[in-house]
Amino acid sequence: LGRTNSSHEALRSTAQAQPRVTPGEPRSMVFTFLQMHFNRLSGGLVSPPRSYGSAPQGGWNVLLIHAHPLKGSFSSYLAHAVCDTLRGAGHRVEMVNLYEFDGGKPLNPVLTIAERERYFLGTPPSPYPAPSSDIAPLVQSLRSADALVFVYPTWWMGVPAILKGFFDRAFLPGISFKLPGVQGEPANLSGALIPGLPNIKKVGVVTTYGAPRYLVAVAGDLGHGLIARAILPLFNPECTILWQGLYGMDNTTAKGRDAFVGEVRAAYRGFLPAPPGPGETVPVTPAAAA
């Protein structure tokens, strides 16, 4: 468990399916497949292909995680804009504000001593730890989701503490990842982690930055590194990521904020492929056909 970074790199390089291209395969599908890989490698700096993938049976279940303490904040407005747009497109959305999680109270972001002890020892008879009762509903939501969206402000180049606590307490061994050679999982020489949430096929992030873009690039975007580099490989090997950020928020005009909201709404109208209608067939991607 102490080799998380190297294991994620190994996971990223080994878990992705390889295409089998036939002479009659449409060239556009190959380009779309390559764009998917470049999207993952760049952490969303390359836009995800809009046409890649297919809707799950019965449509999409979206878990939207919001992290901001003020109901009247611009971040809250963005979260509701994403939620309304996805629901308007016919998708099921569970929206969770971590600051109003436990009966209107904030989620406890602190990993307790008991939780850390279980992290390594597991919860007998399982070698993996069981989530605490307060975080268990979020774990179930993660396991039921087909897509995951985060809306939060970037503070000090990172995610809010409450969102980091969500990752610390919910993304446990046996839930977000499994270990090779443990509980029937195949062993591998690299020690690569095995994705524990392959049900999640799309990830979206909407965030705001007080600093301008060049300063974020110089200082390092810790939130981007966490979600796009450490968390993304724990999902489906073809999971793509949509990253949208409003930079220089402290000096942005109302017109600039409105323009960004418009960009977010437009992006989430096409964020998820529509489920097939009556009599329609689900399109097959190159990897699925391999």
Side-chain angles (χ1 to χ4, degrees):
L1 292 180
R3 295 178 293 173
T4 303
N5 292 337
S6 61
S7 296
H8 279 184
E9 290 298 326
L11 172 63
R12 186 180 298 111
S13 62
T14 59
Q16 296 171 353
Q18 298 299 318
R20 181 180 301 153
V21 181
T22 60
E25 186 172 30
R27 183 176 298 179
S28 61
M29 291 184 68
V30 179
F31 288 154
T32 299
F33 186 80
L34 292 175
Q35 186 179 357
M36 180 271 291
H37 280 288
F38 283 123
N39 169 261
R40 288 176 58 85
L41 290 172
S42 69
L45 299 181
V46 173
S47 298
R50 293 172 64 92
S51 59
Y52 195 81
S54 56
Q57 187 69 30
W60 292 88
N61 292 314
V62 183
L63 176 60
L64 194 164
I65 301 293
H66 180 222
H68 197 289
L70 302 181
K71 292 183 178 180
S73 66
F74 183 60
S75 180
S76 179
Y77 188 83
L78 288 170
H80 283 89
V82 172
C83 183
D84 293 345
T85 302
L86 289 172
R87 286 175 176 169
H91 309 302
R92 294 180 293 274
V93 182
E94 178 186 2
M95 181 173 168
V96 177
N97 185 345
L98 298 179
Y99 282 93
E100 301 175 353
F101 171 70
D102 186 11
K105 296 184 296 183
L107 172 75
N108 178 13
V110 179
L111 187 73
T112 66
I113 294 174
E115 286 175 325
R116 188 56 179 171
E117 289 175 342
R118 291 200 304 269
Y119 195 97
F120 293 103
L121 300 177
T123 304
S126 173
Y128 293 120
S132 297
S133 58
D134 65 324
I135 203 76
L138 274 177
V139 170
Q140 183 56 47
S141 295
L142 280 171
R143 287 173 162 165
S144 302
D146 305 303
L148 185 58
V149 179
F150 299 99
V151 182
Y152 65 89
T154 294
W155 291 335
W156 292 107
M157 304 301 170
V159 300
I162 199 168
L163 181 53
K164 179 58 167 60
F166 163 70
F167 290 125
D168 289 343
R169 300 189 63 215
F171 279 63
L172 298 172
I175 296 172
S176 63
F177 66 90
K178 298 179 181 179
L179 298 173
V182 175
Q183 209 174 41
E185 297 294 340
N188 59 65
L189 296 178
S190 66
L193 302 180
I194 299 168
L197 295 168
N199 50 291
I200 296 178
K201 303 174 183 66
K202 299 281 184 180
V203 171
V205 176
V206 179
T207 186
T208 56
Y209 304 83
R213 189 168 196 148
Y214 79 88
L215 187 55
V216 174
V218 171
D221 188 343
L222 303 180
H224 181 267
L226 171 62
I227 296 173
R229 302 299 183 193
I231 299 298
L232 184 65
L234 304 176
F235 304 145
N236 191 284
E238 294 185 10
C239 179
T240 56
I241 180 168
L242 171 66
W243 194 282
Q244 291 179 288
L246 177 61
Y247 297 87
M249 170 72 181
D250 296 345
N251 297 312
T252 302
T253 64
K255 183 177 180 180
R257 291 192 295 273
D258 288 343
F260 182 70
V261 172
E263 293 172 5
V264 169
R265 290 187 184 276
Y268 280 89
R269 277 193 288 270
F271 177 59
L272 301 171
E280 294 181 344
T281 58
V282 177
V284 179
T285 63

